[in-house]
Structure formats: structure tokens, C-alpha cells
Amino acid sequence: MIDLATVQAITAKELRDALRNRWFVVFTVAFAGIALALSTMVRPTGTFTHALSYTRTAASLVNLVLLFVPLIGLTLGSANLASDRETGALTYLLSQPVSRVEVLLGKYFGLAGALLATLTLGFGAAGLALALQGVAQETGSYLMTVLLAYLLALAMLSLGFLLSSVAKKTTTALGGALFLWLFLVFIGDLGIMGTSVTMKFPIEGVFFVTAINPLQMFKIASILSIQANLEVLGPAGLYATDQFGALLLPLLLVGLLLWIVLPLLAAATTFSRQEKFTYREARS
Amino acid sequence: MITATNLTKRYGRVTALDNVSFTITAGEAVALWGANGAGKTTTLRCLLGVQGFEGHLTINGIDVHTQGKAARAAIGYVPQETVFYDMSVLETLHFYARLKKTDSGRANAVLEQVALVEHCAKRVNMLSGGMKQRLALAVALLADPPVLVLDEPTANLDVKAQRDFIHTIQQLNQSGKTIVFSSHRLDEVIALGSRVLVLSDGRLSLECPPHELATKLGLHRWLRIWVPAHHKENTLKVLESQGYAIMPNGRSVYVQVNLGGKIAPLRSLELANIPIEDFDLLDGDLALKEENHD
């Protein structure tokens, strides 16, 4: 039985820790600054007017989110349990009347809160800047992009926690997080492109393999919410629109939710079942 | 009351605890004694229910195996070296009070109990080792648990901090708390314990009152005495004539003493008008280690 008061206490502590974390503050300021800059710089091509829009700002922020959010989500998540384990703080925490699942959930929710606050600040600053300049149309697609960014951040945090529950050392966890980030952002895409060309993958195969990647799920869902079709993605995009129609966006949302829940469940299972101390640690 | 029956813990092929059984009654202060790897810390971690084990273990009737959380609620734990999160002393106590489901108002009471009131606003990483250990004790006392489990609590403390800490634990034991602690230090075991469980290679090899431990295990201590260089020869003669086993070492001399006779060699030297520059008391194995370093 999970005690919510315990989870809440650990969540509050993690949230406070994250807000005191120098790197996290730097990321928050950088993300908000870039988002704000994009909101004021992006305008329709070939015009010299200040015809700004939420849609264009959202489209620009999608690329920013694709690069930064997985990095911070994965590293924050992966460093958390592993670093506490390495310093011995985790042993002390677990010697209190708490369960392992409560500890994991408390830590997850705390970091999730901090991460979502960062995104809210960045998107909020950009949105506010647009609103102050009189832009009022297409706020729906902008808010949808924000929601999708939230889901992506939580999915990356879940993956980070899964790494953290397995890794014994912080450096191992961080190394794993960086590799996963590289794989999801760059290597995965290039690999799929190369394999599909050389192996002559059918178009549906290319789409499914691509869409398994949570980053691609976020990207496709964002593009859909911004311009209602996937022409920009080429044949695979056209195939997806044709095959799934209006169901595509809900399916992608469910996919992102699964990327949040499944790694977190796996992390909770691993963390609860693993032997708490190695023999070397237990030698008195 | 704590009851352990056939407590066994394996790490792969290594058996850290092998069918250890013991009973500790309420209000006792029981020391776990043993060399490194004997199974002291493993036993304490089994008591806390933070690692799996075979056998049966209950604390105040609570099965540690199946109700680890409830068992931990009955225990206040002080590790050898506590790693706290980056918070102030008061914030730390409030955080652990929430985990222990205790009124955060208890924080002030335990701060007074461990004499940390004036440091309550300090960040934990600004505290000395002794203060951190007192804070760990304060955290352990937050929910006023009936059992205190201490894992070599004074190992990293200076002499004065050790003395103060032991005094506080003695008072807690006198107030009715059951104390289970592991230690390498004979003086600590004698000062605190009412009974000693000796662990050897994961097995319970001996159970005795603390004052019998030295005799039963053939333990001795070394008194290291520093004398001026020109008194060294005379010092050795005096001590040898008194029948002491001695080991000259540079400007100092190691003298093997029994627990009740630590002062006697110093008195002998004083009577022989040999000035003593300094002295130190060391466990047997520690003295030999120092000898090797020198």
C-alpha cells in the first residue's frame, strides 16, 4: 500500500533540491530565454511586418524541445537514484519507515514537477510575449504543443529513472543517459534512414519503426496539431495520415503515455526487487 | 523485544550470516562485536528490513520480513556515517518527521536532547562529524522509537565527541530504550552494553557480559607512552621489572595492559621519577597496525 503522505514529503524535498540545482536553473533560464527569443523573432518569410503567430512559435519550439527536453529529462532522472545510492543517502532514506516504491514515486514526481515548471516558464514566457504583441489566434495548437512537450519530458524522465534504478554508479547512469539521448535524437533517425534505403523497407515499416521513438511521436503529434497533415514528413507522413486519419493524434498521445508509464513501472519493479546492498557494502 | 531465529544472509556464494539466533529483551543494550566482515552491519540491516534474508526476525512482535515498514517505524537508526541531503538542520528534522509521521514540533525537543538547538539554522554540510552524528541521533529519536540501532556510531568521532555521544546513549538506555549497536571499540562496548554478541564469519560464536569479553577473547590493549629520549632506557627497565610486555617504538613505548590496569604503568614511571610527555590507549590490533606504519 502506497502512503501518499510519504510520497508527498519526498516530492517536496526533490522539488526544492531541483530548484537549488545550479545546472537545472541554468537550463531553465536558457530554455526560457531561447523560447522568448524565438517568439519575437519568428515571422512569415518574406515579410517585414511583425506578423507573429502562436503556430510558428510552436513549430520553432518543437525543435528546441526535441533537443533540450530529452537531454535534461534523461540526465536528471538517471543521476537521481544513482547519485543517492553512491553517496549513501539512499541507504539512510530507505532505513526510514518508507517503501522503495514510495521513494521512487516521490523522487519522480518531484523532478517531474521541476521539469514541467521549467517548460511552463519557457512556453509561458514565449506565449506571454506573443499575447503582449496582440497575437490571439491559434492558441489551441500552441497549448497542444505544450502538452506534448510535457508528455515527452515525463517519458524521458521515466527512462532516466529506469537507467538510475539499474546503474550502480552515477557516471554509469549518466553515460547511459547520454548514449540514449544521442540514439533517440540522432543515431536512431540516421539508422532508420540508412536501413530503409539499403533494405528497401516498405513505407509502413519505416513509419512504425520511426514512430516507436518517443521523440518522433512528439514531433509527429506536434506537426499534426500545428498543420493538421504530415506532408512535411514525405511518403511516411502521407501513409500515416491516410492510414490512421483522425485517430493518429490520439494514438500518438497514448504512445507517449505508454512511454511514461512502462519505463516507470519497470524502474519501480527493478528498484523494489534488487538486492539493496552488495556484500562489499555490507562488510562491517 | 527482538527475536532472530536462524537469520541467514547470502550474497551470491558468500554467506554473510549463517543461522544466527538471538533474543534481545526490552531495555537491554546489546553490542554486536566482531572483525570486519563478521556480519555486524548485515545483522543491523536485517533488523531494519532493508535487505532480504532467510530465517525469522521480529521486533516488538512485528515480522520484519513481511512488515519492513512497520518494523522500521519501531526503530531509530544511526549509521556509522550519515549522508544528509543539502538542507538546514531544522529542515532535515522536519523532512524526516514527515516520513516518520511525527509532529514536526518534536524537532525542537530532539534538538534540545542532542544539544543542537543553537545550530538548527545551519546547513547540514557545515556541521562537524560529531554534530552530524548527533543530528542522526536526533532523527532517530524523532518518533520516540522503543529501539535504537546504531552502527559503529562513534567510529568517526574525536575522543570528546565519542564520550559525549556514549553518555547520551547511556541516558537513553536508562530511560528504557532498547539499544542494539555494533562496535570495534572495547571501551565503548563496556560503557554501553549489558550483553555482547560476538560474531565471527557470520556465525554467533559467543554471548557474554561485556566485562568478560576481553578475557574470553584474549583481548588486550596497548598503552603507548612517550618519554624524553634520555629516559627511554630507564623506562624500559622499570616496565620490564614490573613484568609488563613492552614494545619500544621510536620515542614511545607500547605497554600491554589489561582493562583494569591501564593506570598502573604510568604510576610506576611516576614513582621512578620518569616524566611522561604523552600517552594514548589503543586496541591490540590497532597498536600492531601503528607499529607496522612506524
Side-chain angles (χ1 to χ4, degrees), chain A residues 3 84 98 102 275 284, chain B residues 9 36-37 69 72 85 101:
Chain A
D3 182 351
D84 270 13
V98 296
E102 286 162 0
E275 185 52 83
S284 52
Chain B
K9 175 66 197 168
N36 282 342
K69 227 172 113 172
R72 285 193 289 281
Y85 292 111
K101 308 278 181 295

Side-chain angles (χ1 to χ4, degrees), chain A residues 3 6 9 13 16 20 84 87 92-98 102 275-277 279 281-282 284, chain B residues 9 11 14 36-37 40-41 45 50-51 69 72 77 83 85-87 91 95-96 100-101 123 139:
Chain A
D3 182 351
T6 301
K13 186 207 81 68
R16 197 171 43 216
R20 284 175 181 168
D84 270 13
T87 59
Y92 188 56
L93 183 59
L94 291 171
S95 69
Q96 307 302 324
V98 296
E102 286 162 0
E275 185 52 83
K276 286 82 178 178
F277 304 100
Y279 178 62
E281 280 173 315
S284 52
Chain B
K9 175 66 197 168
Y11 296 98
V14 181
N36 282 342
K40 304 190 297 290
T41 298
R45 283 175 173 172
V50 291
Q51 65 184 15
K69 227 172 113 172
R72 285 193 289 281
Y77 172 56
V83 181
Y85 292 111
D86 181 22
M87 292 188 267
E91 282 172 341
F95 171 61
Y96 286 104
K100 288 170 184 278
K101 308 278 181 295
R123 301 208 76 74
V139 171

